[in-house]
Amino acid sequence: MHHPPHRFLLALQLNVFDRQRLLGSVANAWQTDQPIALARTWMTEMCGPTDRFPNLLILDMNDTTLHVLDRLWHGDNVASMLSRFRDRFGQDAIALLALELRAV
């Protein structure tokens, strides 16, 4: 893990427990009005593989996982995420996901 933005985001995630403060820190440090998009890019790079980076965190983050993370950064809570998935996939399809999200 040598890319400074990746290290910065990981440090924030380990030490800043307020969503607004975390995103504000990204916005201030990188002079952006799109901190969520930037953080998602970094997470995508770290959980690749991408053209530039391997899967640095050895986490399998598919598009759905990254979408959930993106929505959580936008302020959605577990209930709203479950509602989105229920509307899209049906109640039976999200039963396991509901248990996993509630555990977080």
Side-chain angles (χ1 to χ4, degrees):
M1 189 71 54
H2 300 287
H3 192 54
H6 297 166
R7 293 170 63 131
F8 177 76
L9 181 61
L10 286 176
L12 287 176
Q13 290 176 321
L14 291 170
N15 294 291
V16 179
F17 303 106
D18 177 81
R19 180 180 59 85
Q20 292 295 356
R21 274 188 60 214
L22 185 145
L23 295 172
S25 296
V26 171
N28 289 336
W30 265 263
Q31 300 300 303
T32 182
D33 62 349
Q34 301 293 317
I36 293 172
L38 190 53
R40 183 181 170 136
T41 296
W42 295 337
M43 286 302 298
T44 301
E45 290 172 349
M46 287 188 284
C47 297
T50 64
D51 293 337
R52 190 169 172 204
F53 299 99
N55 187 336
L56 301 171
L57 298 179
I58 312 170
L59 294 173
D60 293 325
M61 286 198 160
N62 59 24
D63 288 337
T64 302
T65 307
L66 288 167
H67 176 73
V68 168
L69 185 58
D70 182 75
R71 293 310 315 159
L72 292 172
W73 279 332
H74 276 93
D76 287 6
N77 59 27
V78 171
S80 66
M81 288 303 306
L82 290 174
S83 177
R84 285 175 185 268
F85 279 104
R86 190 175 300 109
D87 293 346
R88 185 169 180 186
F89 301 109
Q91 177 62 36
D92 293 339
I94 66 146
L96 181 58
L97 177 63
L99 292 172
E100 291 174 358
L101 282 174
R102 287 196 174 99
V104 175

